[in-house]
Amino acid sequence: MSDWLYSDTVKEHFTNPRNVLLEDEAAFSADGRGKTGNIKCGDEMLMLLKIKDDKIVDVRWKTYGCASAIASTSMLSDLIKGMSIKDAYGIKPDDIVRQLGGLPSFKIHCSVLGDKALRSAIDDYLAKQGRAGELKEAATEICHCLEITDKDIEKAFLQGARSWEQLQAATKIGSSCGDCKEAAMDLLHGLEHIHG
């Protein structure tokens, strides 16, 4: 009996990750660069995009993280090739998890980094094109260490997070400095009044 908790797709993307930035590709000339996460909490990711006519034509990434983070970023990198930046910007962690055939619930937060790094890279590309903020949805950053917004917290709430521990499990919020706990809990309590 195997102790492997992941799907065969996760295993494949973990053991044979696609589009990883290799040492000899240091000159990969990216049109958009995004970085997210915090090495202090164990996950950090770099996403590099080549874009032509607002379509992603190539991608490279590097991550410091667990099997889920590596597999989910590998899957994401495959998904976005040939995709318009507008469509890619809308990719959510659930989309990645679904493509992977699921992840253990305590590992879902690892897939959050990929979509954040992707949006950051697209934002960087748009800023270089004089189109800053074109796709960005209005959000307030609550956790500055991990770039977690009110939208991320609301999504976690709608998926069942009601306590600080559940919010951390869903988003990794506060796992670096913890200065965001009060603001995050205020927002969580507010969401209880809005959504019931």
Side-chain angles (χ1 to χ4, degrees):
M1 183 167 146
S2 173
D3 291 334
W4 185 258
L5 298 172
Y6 304 103
S7 70
D8 289 341
T9 305
V10 172
K11 185 175 183 180
E12 171 61 24
H13 277 273
F14 172 63
T15 57
N16 298 298
R18 279 58 155 187
N19 308 304
V20 176
L21 180 66
L22 304 173
E23 295 301 321
D24 61 352
E25 289 184 301
F28 183 86
S29 62
D31 300 303
R33 180 183 194 276
K35 191 173 182 183
T36 192
N38 189 316
I39 204 72
K40 290 179 189 173
C41 73
D43 293 307
E44 187 173 60
M45 183 176 299
L46 171 68
M47 176 90 47
L48 304 170
L49 303 176
K50 283 190 182 180
I51 301 170
K52 183 173 182 182
D53 299 325
D54 283 356
K55 283 202 186 286
I56 298 169
V57 294
D58 206 357
V59 58
R60 293 291 183 275
W61 60 272
K62 216 170 208 186
T63 192
Y64 178 83
C66 65
S68 297
I70 292 167
S72 62
T73 310
S74 174
M75 175 58 80
L76 175 63
S77 71
D78 267 356
L79 285 174
I80 62 175
K81 278 189 178 181
M83 192 177 277
S84 74
I85 59 171
K86 183 177 181 183
D87 289 343
Y89 205 89
I91 290 177
K92 301 293 181 212
D94 291 346
D95 301 323
I96 302 166
V97 171
R98 195 169 30 260
Q99 290 293 322
L100 287 170
L103 285 173
S105 59
F106 63 93
K107 286 295 187 180
I108 298 291
H109 66 269
C110 296
S111 66
V112 173
L113 286 177
D115 71 301
K116 284 183 177 293
L118 171 61
R119 282 193 294 278
S120 179
I122 294 170
D123 287 339
D124 179 57
Y125 163 75
L126 289 170
K128 290 175 181 173
Q129 301 296 311
R131 299 159 58 192
E134 186 174 304
L135 296 177
K136 210 169 207 165
E137 65 179 66
T140 303
E141 196 170 80
I142 305 296
C143 175
H144 302 296
C145 297
L146 297 176
E147 302 169 11
I148 295 169
T149 69
D150 59 337
K151 301 288 185 197
D152 298 319
I153 292 172
E154 182 173 21
K155 181 177 180 192
F157 175 86
L158 293 173
Q159 292 177 339
R162 297 295 185 271
S163 68
W164 175 247
E165 292 75 20
Q166 290 171 333
L167 192 57
Q168 282 187 306
T171 66
K172 289 190 104 171
I173 193 167
S175 56
S176 184
C177 74
D179 290 345
C180 55
K181 183 174 182 178
E182 185 178 340
M185 290 310 294
D186 287 346
L187 178 57
L188 201 62
H189 293 305
L191 290 167
E192 286 177 8
H193 294 293
I194 294 168
H195 296 290

